[in-house]
Amino acid sequence: MVGRTDAPLVGHPYQVRRRTITASAAPDGRLSYSVAMAFRPIGTVLCAALLALGACVPAAVVSFDPTGPCTMDGAAPGAYPELEALVPASYEGRGPDRLNSGRNCTPENLGALAGIGIAEVRFAGGTWDFGGNRAAALVVFEAPGLTASAMADFYEKSAAGASRTQITGRSTPSLAGRAGRRLDTMTGDRQQTVVVWPAAGRDRVDVVLTNDLPDPKIQAAVDAFGER
């Protein structure tokens, strides 16, 4: 199970055809939830992105080229199809409401990862909306040298630096036979959970982010990854 104990924490690019992707905007002018938001401070990720299922970007349309040198952060459906294929196709009996992929290379979004020498992270993820404040994102991250510990540190440092977010629990569950980390936080009256563990492939990390979901649904999200 994905436990909520207070145990102490322990501390190849894809070959794709060059193309420019235009990410469609949500009706309110924000981008349809891009998993790039998983790089925002945790209070923003789970209280804004997961709830509204939209990135806090004012522009209605963003052009994003997923090939070549990374000069800007971006995400769009189909940007990295090989990575999107690693996202669970079904959770809670249905597919994701949104599925997309992208990459981040700016210091703002890399945060603590930039401090350990990671210059670019690619990601793919699906989001599931359960109504009200309840939502989940199942995400895969990939970068040379990326570890679950580094990714978990990113989320914890983001949470610690968010003025309205309080860390309420830390634990080190075993997930698919691999050492993982779980972080529980509260932002206002909303409960957020992040679970991070090593993926089966090298330099890849699986992540589950949830807002106001109970432990059985969090466990089901982890189980949806299987042996990936």
Side-chain angles (χ1 to χ4, degrees):
M1 293 295 292
V2 185
R4 194 184 298 182
T5 63
D6 290 324
L9 292 174
V10 292
H12 43 280
Y14 290 118
Q15 299 300 315
V16 295
R17 178 171 54 88
R18 184 172 181 82
R19 61 199 184 281
T20 298
I21 295 175
T22 299
S24 60
D28 60 2
R30 293 172 300 182
L31 290 177
S32 298
Y33 172 67
S34 77
V35 200
M37 284 302 293
F39 275 95
R40 303 282 182 175
I42 192 168
T44 303
V45 179
L46 297 169
C47 285
L50 283 179
L51 295 184
L53 295 180
C56 299
V57 179
V61 177
V62 174
S63 293
F64 165 57
D65 181 2
T67 64
C70 186
T71 59
M72 62 178 289
D73 302 328
Y80 299 111
E82 297 92 342
L83 208 53
E84 288 182 11
L86 298 174
V87 176
S90 179
Y91 164 54
E92 292 292 288
R94 61 182 175 90
D97 295 300
R98 293 168 182 82
L99 175 67
N100 61 13
S101 53
R103 62 182 178 180
N104 282 330
C105 55
T106 64
E108 176 189 7
N109 278 340
L110 288 175
L113 295 176
I116 60 172
I118 293 178
E120 177 185 332
V121 174
R122 296 185 178 186
F123 51 84
T127 60
W128 281 257
D129 182 9
F130 297 102
N133 293 336
R134 300 172 302 135
L138 280 60
V139 192
V140 178
F141 293 95
E142 183 177 68
L146 183 65
T147 65
S149 180
M151 200 74 218
D153 286 345
F154 165 85
Y155 283 114
E156 183 166 0
K157 289 177 181 178
S158 295
S163 60
R164 296 182 57 246
T165 299
Q166 177 185 2
I167 296 175
T168 59
R170 302 178 179 90
S171 60
T172 55
S174 177
L175 309 166
R178 307 164 202 149
R181 282 167 56 177
R182 169 171 169 162
L183 182 71
D184 292 286
T185 69
M186 292 290 294
T187 304
D189 60 354
R190 295 166 181 167
Q191 175 182 316
Q192 306 98 27
T193 296
V194 181
V195 186
V196 181
W197 70 102
R202 182 173 177 168
D203 298 331
R204 220 167 54 230
V205 174
D206 295 333
V207 176
V208 167
L209 305 102
T210 66
N211 197 95
D212 286 348
L213 292 185
D215 277 355
K217 285 190 181 292
I218 298 172
Q219 182 67 49
V222 171
D223 293 342
F225 278 90
E227 295 301 316
R228 292 179 179 83

